[in-house]
């Protein structure tokens, strides 16, 4: 679990003096770290430690940490791996609490390295040390010009309000380079390394508390502390600080509960998706989208809605934007009549005042045409956000005139009653001319390229909706809770309960189950069928049987006693052939019509109990139309999951079917989840499949429960 509090990290990332232990001219890391500190404005003392070389990087060295006069706030360790414990012990004896360990060869290389890493952890715990790494490049505190970082940082180092945390050393430099190329300012960038002491969630926690950070950008290979991650993500959402995450690793692990159909739906990556949606974490698919989205939100903050008014100088760009807006669920409303009339006053006569608005190439003659049009569109009552398509020029024949033009537009943007998001045409580096022009004109951040810009805008709008719901309290309803009833006649909670026992248990706990009778002979099955009423369904009741229909263990549409006896004999023969006992059967009334759903719960190894809602029956794994939620959930959250299915139109009454009572359905789904939560650590998986829904009739036809060993 996390071990370093936010106040301690504020101290860690703001040292007034740094010692580079293991400094040597033979190491590019050593030279880069030293140059970074000197060239990017660090005003404190930098001490070099090397017991064998008196001069390194043209500077006299100290033989040890103990030989350094005066205080040392941070030690950057670059020594061979066997020396690292000695450095930590010596520094601790001097009262130095903060360390970055660049040295590799720990848990990432195998068992021997893991032993060495545990030694570092033990020393840190014993002396109350804060350690970043090992096997990490360090950090860049751009806000305070403190850069103990092991790879070159080319100028300019742009300070800003995006905090970046990465579980990758090499990619950290690429992310930094991209941020510089697109003029995205960072507050803090941290390369985590092995997270032996300091974890991603530690740094996230500090960034939530940091006033100079507005957005948190994460590159994640794994989420080591899911509960803590969730708690910090909720606090970030409450504080209005978006978290944007690139989480890699999409494989579905084979350790899922094989006998439950639900296990085919709940893969590691799908569970991460569900967790991020519930927590308000924006998930992106590329490093470019990570930084473009973070940069946009740092500039705009929460956006008021999804109705976008677009101002561009290009008809072709307007078409691209229209297509991408549909992809992102963004609305491009028609302008109000007053807006259209006002636009005709400022546009050339050959321009058409539609949304997206193409002001045409006339911008080359009227340098203020874009800002005039922007001013008009911003007043439209049917528009929430303005998207302005504009790039910084790579060169300009008249810099002063360009500054005047962009300064005027910047003034219109600042005075706009609606947020203005500026997007460039393509994703290219901002030139030195463009960078200087933006600074001189006080121009806002420009998102790079229509493709990434529209992706970022879609993410920003959706996050803003989540944020507003959270602020209003709509996202914090009380989860359903139940006290589990122990039904009589059930076996111990071990192994797998198939339909007979699982259905009895769920029925006793408030889940509407189809009536069932257990028969131990064909004649008894026929008598039960006559009592239940024809037509009936006959199912094998063997305790070791999960996929009954695949083995000939289900007979449907039986209309008389003789057909029931014959079906019972067939089931017994089919199961005997497959090595199972089929003499005990379950008799149920035959249900027809309606829609079959699956509602299941499996235990994710990281996130815990996870609820799945999907189209059910035999179609569950074929269609793959499912929604996942981490438990516990409220009835409102359960309904939202149901309504998010691609096939939800069927439940609303498509093609003449009776619409399903979604409130009642949500109550059943939420109660299944609550039963799973109440069972706690005893439960491995629980599945109702199918759950038959038609109008106000909701009835579970089959169930399966697997208990943990």
């Amino acid at each position: 679990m996390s071990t370093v509090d936010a106040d301690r990290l504020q101290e860690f990332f703001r040292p007034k003096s740094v010692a580079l232990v293991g400094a040597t001219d033979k190491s590019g890391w050593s030279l880069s770290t030293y140059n970074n500190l000197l060239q990017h404005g660090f005003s404190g003392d930098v001490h070099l430690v090397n017991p064998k070389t008196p001069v390194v990087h043209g500077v006299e060295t100290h033989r040890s940490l103990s030989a350094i006069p005066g205080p040392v706030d941070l030690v950057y360790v670059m020594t061979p791996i066997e020396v690292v414990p000695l450095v930590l012990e010596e520094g601790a004896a001097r009262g130095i609490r903060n360390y970055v360990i660049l040295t590799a060869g720990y848990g990432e290389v195998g068992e021997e390295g893991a032993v060495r890493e545990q030694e570092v952890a033990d020393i840190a715990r014993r002396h109350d040390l804060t350690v970043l790494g090992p096997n990490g490049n360090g950090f860049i505190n751009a806000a305070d010009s403190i850069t103990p970082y092991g790879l070159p940082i080319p100028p300019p180092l742009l300070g800003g309000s995006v905090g970046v945390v990465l579980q990758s050393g090499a990619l950290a430099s690429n992310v930094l380079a991209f941020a510089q190329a697109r003029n995205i300012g960072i507050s803090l960038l941290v390369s985590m390394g092995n997270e032996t002491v300091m974890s991603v969630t530690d740094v996230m926690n500090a960034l939530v508390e940091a006033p100079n950070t507005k957005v948190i950008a994460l590159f994640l290979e794994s989420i080591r502390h899911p509960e803590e991650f969730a708690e910090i993500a909720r606090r970030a959402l409450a504080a209005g600080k978006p978290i944007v995450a690139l989480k890699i690793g999409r494989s579905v692990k084979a350790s899922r509960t094989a006998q439950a159909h639900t296990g085919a739906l709940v893969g590691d990556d799908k569970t991460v998706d569900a967790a991020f949606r519930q927590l308000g974490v924006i998930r992106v698919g590329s490093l470019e989208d990570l930084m473009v989205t973070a940069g946009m939100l740092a500039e705009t903050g929460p956006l008021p809605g999804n109705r976008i008014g677009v101002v561009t100088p290009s008809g072709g760009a307007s078409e691209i934007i229209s297509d991408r807006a549909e992809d992102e669920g963004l609305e491009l409303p028609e302008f109000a009549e007053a807006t259209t009339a006002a636009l005709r006053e400022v546009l050339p006569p050959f321009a058409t005042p539609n949304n997206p608005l193409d002001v045409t190439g006339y911008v080359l003659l009227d340098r203020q045409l874009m800002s005039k049009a922007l001013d008009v569109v911003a007043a439209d009552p049917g528009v929430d956000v303005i998207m302005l398509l504009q790039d910084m020029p790579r060169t300009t024949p008249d810099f002063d005139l360009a500054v005047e033009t962009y300064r005027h537009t910047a003034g219109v943007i600042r005075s706009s009653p609606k947020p203005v998001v500026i997007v460039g045409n393509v994703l290219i580096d901002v030139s030195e001319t463009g960078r200087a022009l933006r600074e001189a004109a006080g121009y806002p951040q420009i998102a790079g390229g229509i493709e990434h810009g529209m992706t970022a805008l879609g993410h920003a709008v959706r996050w803003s909706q989540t944020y507003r719901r959270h602020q209003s309290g709509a996202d914090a309803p009380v989860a359903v809770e139940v006290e589990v009833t122990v039904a009589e006649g059930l076996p111990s909670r071990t192994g797998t309960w198939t339909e007979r026992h699982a259905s009895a248990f769920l029925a006793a706990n408030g889940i509407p189950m189809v009536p069932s009778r257990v028969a131990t002979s064909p004649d008894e099955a026929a008598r039960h069928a006559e009592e239940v009423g024809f037509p009936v369904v006959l199912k094998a009741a063997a305790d070791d049987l999960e996929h009954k229909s695949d083995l000939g263990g289900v007979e449907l549409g039986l209309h008389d006693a003789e057909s029931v006896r014959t079906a019972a004999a067939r089931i017994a023969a089919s199961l005997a052939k497959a090595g199972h006992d089929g003499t005990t059967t379950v008799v149920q009334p035959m249900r027809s019509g309606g829609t079959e759903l699956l509602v299941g719960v499996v235990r994710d190894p990281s996130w815990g109990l996870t609820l799945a809602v999907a189209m059910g029956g035999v179609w569950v794994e074929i269609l793959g139309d499912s929604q996942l939620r981490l438990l516990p959930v409220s009835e409102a959250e359960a309904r939202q999951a149901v309504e998010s299915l691609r096939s939800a139109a069927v439940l609303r009454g498509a093609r003449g079917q009776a619409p399903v009572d979604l409130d009642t359905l949500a109550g059943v789904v939420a109660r299944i989840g609550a039963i799973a939560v109440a069972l706690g650590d005893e439960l491995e998986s629980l599945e109702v499949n199918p759950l038959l829904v038609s109008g106000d009739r909701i009835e579970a036809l089959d169930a399966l429960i697997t208990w943990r060993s």
Side-chain angles (χ1 to χ4, degrees):
M1 292 295 291
S2 174
T3 56
V4 189
D5 64 38
D7 290 339
R8 184 79 173 263
L9 285 191
Q10 297 299 330
E11 171 194 306
F12 182 94
F13 292 124
R14 290 179 174 82
K16 295 181 175 61
S17 59
V18 178
L20 307 185
V21 180
T24 170
D25 290 323
K26 299 176 182 178
S27 168
W29 280 297
S30 176
L31 182 59
S32 293
T33 308
Y34 180 70
N35 285 341
N36 288 337
L37 286 165
L38 266 60
Q39 294 174 3
H40 293 288
F42 180 57
S43 59
D45 295 324
V46 180
H47 305 284
L48 306 185
V49 176
N50 187 316
K52 298 179 180 179
T53 308
V55 176
V56 172
H57 310 325
V59 177
E60 289 187 6
T61 64
H62 302 278
R63 292 187 56 81
S64 66
L65 282 173
S66 303
I68 298 174
V72 174
D73 297 323
L74 176 71
V75 176
Y76 194 96
V77 185
M78 301 174 283
T79 66
I81 194 168
E82 61 273 9
V83 179
V84 172
L86 303 177
V87 174
L88 297 178
E89 294 284 4
E90 182 186 11
R94 274 207 57 173
I96 304 170
R97 300 199 302 175
N98 301 318
Y99 299 81
V100 174
I101 301 179
L102 174 76
T103 307
Y106 289 91
E108 77 277 6
V109 300
E111 186 174 343
E112 183 179 347
V115 172
R116 290 181 179 275
E117 189 166 331
Q118 185 59 50
E119 183 181 11
V120 170
D122 292 342
I123 294 171
R125 183 174 56 255
R126 188 163 61 248
H127 296 294
D128 190 25
L129 308 181
T130 302
V131 177
L132 174 60
N135 187 34
N137 287 322
F139 67 88
I140 299 169
N141 178 352
D144 297 310
S145 300
I146 302 171
T147 53
Y149 184 75
L151 295 173
I153 306 173
L157 177 61
L158 303 175
S161 53
V162 177
V164 185
V165 190
L166 304 104
Q167 289 178 324
S168 171
L171 288 182
S173 292
N174 299 116
V175 168
L176 176 65
F178 180 79
Q180 291 172 315
R182 289 303 313 169
N183 258 11
I184 300 169
I186 64 170
S187 56
L188 178 71
L189 181 148
V190 184
S191 170
M192 294 305 308
N194 290 9
E195 300 181 57
T196 303
V197 177
M198 188 189 304
S199 68
V200 164
T201 46
D202 287 327
V203 183
M204 288 173 62
N205 186 44
L207 291 174
V208 171
E209 300 295 328
N212 60 4
T213 296
K214 295 180 180 178
V215 181
I216 300 168
L218 307 175
F219 174 83
L220 300 173
E221 295 173 341
S222 64
I223 299 174
R224 304 188 185 196
H225 310 302
E227 290 184 5
E228 188 170 314
F229 182 96
E231 189 274 328
I232 294 169
R234 293 187 188 100
R235 286 201 297 107
L237 184 61
K241 289 191 177 185
I243 296 176
V244 187
L246 174 57
K247 168 66 175 68
I248 61 171
R250 297 183 179 275
S251 62
V252 178
K253 291 186 178 177
S255 59
R256 296 290 172 205
T257 308
Q259 62 268 30
H261 286 90
T262 313
L265 301 175
V266 186
D268 290 344
D269 195 62
K270 293 177 182 177
T271 308
V272 170
D273 265 345
F276 281 10
R277 279 195 303 271
Q278 285 177 257
L279 297 171
V281 175
I282 300 167
R283 189 173 189 183
V284 297
S286 69
L287 292 172
E288 293 86 351
D289 285 331
L290 176 69
M291 295 309 296
V292 171
T293 303
M296 179 180 291
L297 277 162
E299 191 75 28
T300 67
L303 299 174
N306 75 329
R307 300 174 302 172
I308 313 299
V310 180
V311 179
T312 88
S314 165
S318 297
E319 297 299 325
I320 298 173
I321 291 167
S322 295
D323 289 344
R324 290 291 289 112
E326 184 172 316
D327 296 340
E328 297 295 335
L330 304 174
E331 184 181 346
L332 302 179
E334 294 296 326
F335 291 136
E337 290 185 10
T339 304
T340 301
L343 285 172
R344 288 197 178 100
E345 294 294 321
V346 300
L347 294 174
F350 49 85
T352 304
N354 293 332
N355 186 23
L357 176 64
D358 173 16
V359 301
T360 78
Y362 204 75
V363 290
L364 296 175
L365 298 177
D366 182 353
R367 289 181 172 270
Q368 295 187 359
L369 178 57
M370 289 278 281
S371 58
K372 292 175 186 175
L374 172 63
D375 206 19
V376 173
V377 172
D380 191 295
V383 168
D384 299 314
V385 179
I386 315 301
M387 175 180 164
L388 179 65
L389 192 72
Q390 191 168 51
D391 279 305
M392 282 289 156
R394 300 194 66 75
T395 61
T396 177
D398 190 331
F399 185 82
D400 292 336
L401 179 60
V403 169
E404 180 183 340
T405 301
Y406 279 87
R407 183 178 289 145
H408 181 270
T409 305
V412 173
I413 292 169
R414 283 192 295 271
S415 63
S416 169
K418 313 283 177 62
V420 179
V421 173
I422 310 163
V423 176
N425 284 279
V426 294
L427 185 61
I428 57 175
D429 292 359
V430 178
S431 68
E432 289 304 317
T433 297
R435 198 186 304 275
L437 180 55
R438 178 179 177 234
E439 184 176 349
Y443 205 75
Q445 170 70 38
I446 300 176
I450 296 174
E451 172 63 27
H452 295 286
M454 292 300 294
T455 297
L457 183 54
H459 285 311
V461 166
R462 289 186 291 275
W463 176 85
S464 300
Q465 292 168 343
T466 302
Y467 173 67
R468 286 195 299 275
R469 287 196 305 270
H470 183 86
Q471 293 296 100
S472 69
D475 263 1
V478 177
V480 174
E481 295 183 1
V482 300
E483 185 172 335
V484 171
T485 297
V486 180
E488 293 183 5
L490 293 178
S492 62
R493 296 179 183 178
T494 58
T496 297
W497 286 2
T498 52
E499 180 178 6
R500 177 173 43 158
H501 298 135
S503 296
F505 175 80
L506 292 175
N509 285 282
I511 303 303
M513 305 295 300
V514 66
S516 298
R517 304 284 184 88
V518 178
T520 57
S521 70
D523 287 338
E524 187 179 11
R527 288 196 303 273
H528 286 329
E530 290 175 336
E531 295 167 359
V532 168
F534 294 104
V536 298
V537 177
L538 196 63
K539 302 177 182 178
D543 291 337
D544 60 346
L545 199 62
E546 289 93 25
H547 299 305
K548 296 182 288 291
S549 59
D550 295 344
L551 299 176
V554 178
E555 294 275 348
L556 306 175
L558 306 176
H559 290 273
D560 53 47
E562 187 56 36
S563 64
V564 172
R565 293 188 186 93
T566 303
R570 280 199 301 268
I571 288 175
S574 295
L575 265 66
K577 187 176 180 180
H580 298 278
D581 178 16
T583 57
T584 302
T585 56
V586 173
V587 182
Q588 297 174 343
M590 180 75 179
R591 301 304 194 204
S592 60
T595 301
E596 292 185 346
L597 296 177
L598 173 148
V599 181
V601 176
V602 297
R603 183 176 298 279
D604 182 88
S606 297
W607 297 95
L609 294 174
T610 304
L611 174 74
V613 182
M615 293 301 289
V618 298
W619 299 106
V620 55
E621 293 172 0
I622 297 172
L623 297 179
D625 183 11
S626 63
Q627 287 287 314
L628 306 183
R629 296 294 185 272
L630 302 184
L631 291 176
V633 297
S634 65
E635 289 190 12
E637 290 170 316
R639 175 163 178 158
Q640 195 272 338
V642 170
E643 291 185 318
S644 297
L645 292 169
R646 296 193 304 274
S647 50
V650 175
L651 304 177
R652 300 188 190 100
R655 302 185 69 86
Q657 295 194 55
V660 174
D661 183 340
L662 293 178
D663 286 333
T664 302
L665 173 58
V668 172
V669 171
R671 188 168 186 83
I672 291 171
I675 291 170
V677 171
L679 291 171
D681 290 340
E682 290 184 90
L683 184 70
E684 181 63 35
S685 70
L686 183 161
E687 181 172 286
V688 173
N689 182 33
L691 180 69
L692 186 66
V693 296
S694 178
D696 59 359
R697 188 185 75 189
I698 298 173
E699 197 172 42
L701 306 187
D702 203 348
L704 183 73
I705 298 175
T706 301
W707 303 101
R708 300 184 79 185
S709 300

